[in-house]
Amino acid sequence: MTSTMANSQQTTADKDELRAIVARVLELGTEEVTDDAGFRDDLGVDSLALLEIATQIESAFGVSLTDDDISAADTLDEIQQLLDKARRSDS
């Protein structure tokens, strides 16, 4: 398996786990948490829910997310980017 293929599969697995975390915190079905659904406008995320999402991501993936970064994230894609950034800086 090529490195690019492995990275793609890892990203998909990560995004599925992130989607599950967001859905669990918000008590939604995973199908409602689309890649580009706005957390605040589309899913009704408030600051407390966002903090809980961040805490669960940190626990699940063993990374640290800054309050500023997590507050600025508004979609699942943006959360995925934060996770990737956190992994690079934690390495």
Side-chain angles (χ1 to χ4, degrees):
M1 181 180 308
T2 67
S3 177
T4 305
M5 215 172 172
N7 288 344
S8 176
Q9 289 176 338
Q10 181 64 46
T11 299
T12 300
D14 289 348
K15 190 168 280 186
D16 289 345
E17 179 64 19
L18 292 171
R19 188 182 322 279
I21 289 170
V22 172
R24 187 170 50 247
V25 169
L26 300 179
E27 299 179 355
L28 299 171
T30 54
E31 70 281 353
E32 295 177 73
V33 185
T34 62
D35 290 354
D36 59 354
F39 285 173
R40 291 159 190 84
D41 294 339
D42 299 326
L43 301 177
V45 173
D46 61 18
S47 58
L48 186 59
L50 197 56
L51 179 61
E52 179 61 25
I53 290 167
T55 300
Q56 289 198 24
I57 290 169
E58 289 174 332
S59 177
F61 292 97
V63 297
S64 295
L65 303 174
T66 69
D67 290 343
D68 289 341
D69 282 346
I70 199 69
S71 294
D74 193 49
T75 65
L76 194 64
D77 280 340
E78 291 172 2
I79 293 289
Q80 175 70 53
Q81 291 169 9
L82 284 180
L83 176 59
D84 293 342
K85 176 183 167 186
R87 282 183 168 154
R88 284 191 303 273
S89 66
D90 286 350
S91 299

